[in-house]
Amino acid sequence: MPPEASENQQWVTIALLTGSRGNRGEVQAVSFSDRPERFRELKGVYLCDPESPEGEPMEMEAAWEHRGRMIFKFRGIDSISEAERLRGKEVRIPLAERPSLPAGEYYDTDLIGCEVLDRAAGGVLGRVKGLQRFGGPPLLEVEAAAGGEFLIPFAGSICAEIDIEKKQIRVDLPEGLQDLNR
């Protein structure tokens, strides 16, 4: 069963439902997790419209991966038409239920909004507004304090100090990196 929602609930979106699959009410989803096994452990989730803070509690019957997509089966959704009604919904869990990560690993949502500080000069370079993943280290999309945007590889040699509690990332930028992206 899904946990009880409170008025001040903070949510984490873990997947986006993209449409029906099969004829028994299964739903395809794009996962926002790099650990598909986490979905098998879920008992309950909330299905939400992307712009809404409200969610409909749903009980998970099963979850599995198929051809790079997650497939979910929710209790009470037993036909193609019922599954199709869920297209575009976000699958959310309460923030408090998000599994902890090993030291040195971070959720993308924790990095977004972090202030990026230059360790050498001590100034504010900007704020993380997103991440890009292309096979190498992720790239932090930074909205520059001076205007514009630039990318920073999310690598230990560059992102030397990460303090999620303070929402700060202290960096040692290679010379010319900031100008390369402009």
Side-chain angles (χ1 to χ4, degrees):
M1 293 293 291
E4 292 295 318
S6 70
E7 284 186 33
N8 297 327
Q9 188 75 59
Q10 290 184 317
W11 301 98
V12 175
T13 300
I14 58 174
L16 176 66
L17 302 179
T18 59
S20 62
R21 184 213 175 257
N23 59 5
R24 295 189 180 109
E26 296 100 348
V27 184
Q28 289 186 85
V30 174
S31 169
F32 297 145
S33 173
D34 58 356
R35 294 185 169 98
E37 65 277 3
R38 74 174 296 173
F39 294 105
R40 291 183 204 95
E41 300 167 3
L42 289 174
K43 301 296 181 215
V45 297
Y46 290 86
L47 301 186
C48 307
D49 289 319
E51 302 301 318
S52 174
E54 301 296 319
E56 176 184 359
M58 296 295 284
E59 188 175 343
M60 298 281 287
E61 283 186 16
W64 66 95
E65 193 172 11
H66 179 73
R67 295 186 182 177
R69 297 252 179 178
M70 289 304 301
I71 309 298
F72 298 138
K73 175 64 178 88
F74 300 108
R75 186 165 313 284
I77 305 297
D78 298 312
S79 70
I80 294 172
S81 59
E82 291 173 328
E84 197 56 37
R85 175 181 64 82
L86 302 178
R87 180 189 297 267
K89 300 271 188 184
E90 292 181 354
V91 180
R92 296 181 186 167
I93 61 170
L95 181 63
E97 292 183 15
R98 183 175 69 170
S100 58
L101 293 174
E105 289 188 33
Y106 305 93
Y107 285 106
D108 289 3
T109 53
D110 288 342
L111 297 172
I112 294 171
C114 282
E115 193 173 47
V116 180
L117 306 165
D118 186 331
R119 282 196 339 163
V124 176
L125 297 173
R127 188 168 304 278
V128 177
K129 70 175 217 168
L131 280 89
Q132 296 180 13
R133 297 181 186 277
F134 298 107
L139 298 172
L140 299 175
E141 298 174 3
V142 179
E143 189 171 341
E149 298 176 2
F150 63 98
L151 302 173
I152 297 175
F154 189 61
S157 61
I158 296 172
C159 299
E161 299 173 22
I162 301 161
D163 188 334
I164 296 300
E165 296 297 316
K166 291 182 180 178
K167 297 293 280 182
Q168 294 180 338
I169 301 173
R170 296 187 183 282
V171 298
D172 293 323
L173 292 184
E175 191 171 329
L177 178 70
Q178 198 169 355
D179 297 324
L180 181 68
N181 293 281
R182 292 188 178 177

